Amino acid sequence: MKKILFSRLLSRFNSSMLGIVFVCNALVAATYLNVPSKDYPTINSALAKAQVADTVILDDGVYHERILIDAGLCVMARNPHKAIIDGGGRGTVVAMNDDSRLLSVVVKNGTIGVFTRARNVFISDCYILNNYMTGIMFVRQMPTIVENVIAFNAGSGIQTWDVKGSGESLHHNTIAYNQNHGISLGGQSTFKIEYNIIAFNKNMAIKTWGNSGKVEIVNNNFYDNLMQDLPANNASYDPVFKSPRIHLNFRVTSKDACKNCDSDKGYGVQSLLPGSF
């Protein structure tokens, strides 16, 4: 619940310094490195100088870089979704180490948008778009992935392998319009997927490979993916996204899409935004 609270605070503080402290470092003393600036013209130059618990704050703009967020560091946009990390069409755009955070940025145009095999990783309020393979890939360790839009990737939205969850979860995300599966689960994964919208993907909403049948899949909204049986304790309502292709606006406009949900547990990222059903 603490991590969920941090994510909700993000949208309410309008990226004020107090909000940044809460979200990234939980009131731990830290240094804030602003990009671009005289000292830090690029994200990588700031990350090279950052120490554990520091936050790299990105001003509006497009950053043509591929980055590694080292252990204990946070990268976030000053204004949500106005800082774009563009991978230039190759490689992993954002790799993440233990205890790292990625907040409110747009990650696009890589082979893989975000990759991690590290512990205690937190990815929230990001748009992961237009990558040539997978939007987010994680292996063995389960990150917290909450309130993200993962869309228009040429492979699956999310891909996993041998992930053992221990309290972290994949919840309240919108995973849509990916060219393969919404989520591809491989190996012997065991964790929980809940309260997501998984819609309009070219193949299955969730594809399981190997021994991933132990993943708990509950309270999601699956709509118009490749035909498959609807898992028990999930729903299927057209979310009627407001303008996903033109304005990347994935707010639902259908009250049916939130039927049987309350304000804390509605489907997808927009269920936690002001003005949603």
Side-chain angles (χ1 to χ4, degrees), residues 19-129:
I20 292 169
V21 172
F22 265 108
V23 175
C24 277
N25 297 304
L27 295 177
V28 173
T31 298
Y32 300 94
L33 293 75
N34 296 295
V35 179
S37 63
K38 179 180 178 182
D39 292 330
Y40 310 113
T42 65
I43 306 172
N44 279 307
S45 64
L47 289 170
K49 295 293 185 180
Q51 304 295 315
V52 172
D54 286 353
T55 297
V56 175
I57 305 171
L58 307 183
D59 283 334
D60 299 1
V62 179
Y63 299 85
H64 295 281
E65 304 183 55
R66 298 188 301 277
I67 67 172
L68 168 63
I69 307 177
D70 220 336
L73 302 182
C74 174
V75 172
M76 72 174 296
R78 186 180 302 280
N79 299 303
H81 318 135
K82 299 296 185 181
I84 300 168
I85 308 177
D86 187 318
R90 66 187 189 280
T92 297
V93 184
V94 179
M96 303 182 70
N97 275 340
D98 292 352
D99 303 300
S100 60
R101 306 288 185 265
L102 181 68
L103 303 168
S104 300
V105 302
V106 177
V107 178
K108 64 182 291 186
N109 199 23
T111 304
I112 298 170
V114 180
F115 175 81
T116 179
R117 63 176 73 216
R119 297 172 297 174
N120 194 31
V121 166
F122 187 57
I123 303 166
S124 181
D125 193 41
C126 294
Y127 279 67
I128 316 295
L129 309 169

